[in-house]
Amino acid sequence: MVPDDAVDPGMLPSLLGFRLRVAHHAVVRDFTRSLSAFELTPPMFGALELMRSNPGLSQTALAQALELDRSSVVPLIDALARRGLAERRPSTTDRRRNQLWLTPAGQQLHGRAAEQVRDHEARLFAALGERGRARLSGLLERIGQER
C-alpha cells in the first residue's frame, strides 16, 4: 500500500490539461475566498459583469457568453433575482424573450465585488509580471479558440 504522502504522480505533471486543471482550482479557490463576503460564485459574478456591460442582454446571449447551457442560466438568474440583484423584463421587440437588467442593488454589489476581483487577479498573477500575464492570457486564448 502506498502512503498518502508518497503517491507517484506518473505522467500527470507533464500533461498541460492536468496543469490547467490544478491552476483552475487554485484560481477558483482564491476567487471564492475573495467574494465570500458577497456570497457570489464565479458564474454569478460573470453574469453581473455581463449584465452591467450589456444592459438588456438576453438569457441566451448570457448563456453563450458564460459558455453555460441555457438550462444552467435559468437557476443562476433566479438566484440573482431572489436576492434583488437582477431582474428579467419582457423584450420590447420579441415577446418570447426576456431581457436581463441589474437592479440598483445589483449595480452597487457588482461595484464592490469588482474591486475584490481586481485585487484577486493582481494577487494571483503578481509573480508573472505584466509581460508574463499577457503571454499567458494570449496562450490561453489560443487554446480556447481551438474548440
Side-chain angles (χ1 to χ4, degrees), residues 35-86:
L35 292 185
S36 64
F38 304 107
E39 298 180 22
L40 291 175
T41 64
M44 288 173 141
F45 178 79
L48 292 176
E49 175 63 22
L50 289 167
M51 285 186 272
R52 183 198 64 79
S53 298
N54 305 277
L57 182 72
S58 73
Q59 288 181 197
T60 301
L62 180 69
Q64 290 170 346
L66 290 174
E67 297 199 15
L68 295 173
D69 296 334
R70 284 178 45 196
S71 62
S72 300
V73 168
V74 172
L76 177 66
I77 300 305
D78 287 347
L80 294 172
R82 273 193 305 275
R83 291 179 58 188
L85 302 175

Side-chain angles (χ1 to χ4, degrees), residues 16 19-21 23-24 27 125 128 132-147:
L16 290 178
R19 292 284 188 191
L20 286 170
R21 189 176 67 75
H24 174 261
V27 170
F125 300 109
L128 296 178
R133 180 187 167 106
R135 182 166 165 75
L136 177 59
S137 182
L139 291 170
L140 292 172
E141 185 174 349
R142 283 177 53 193
I143 292 170
Q145 290 172 350
E146 293 298 320
R147 45 187 171 91

Side-chain angles (χ1 to χ4, degrees), residues 1-10:
M1 182 169 180
V2 176
D4 290 345
D5 60 350
V7 173
D8 178 354

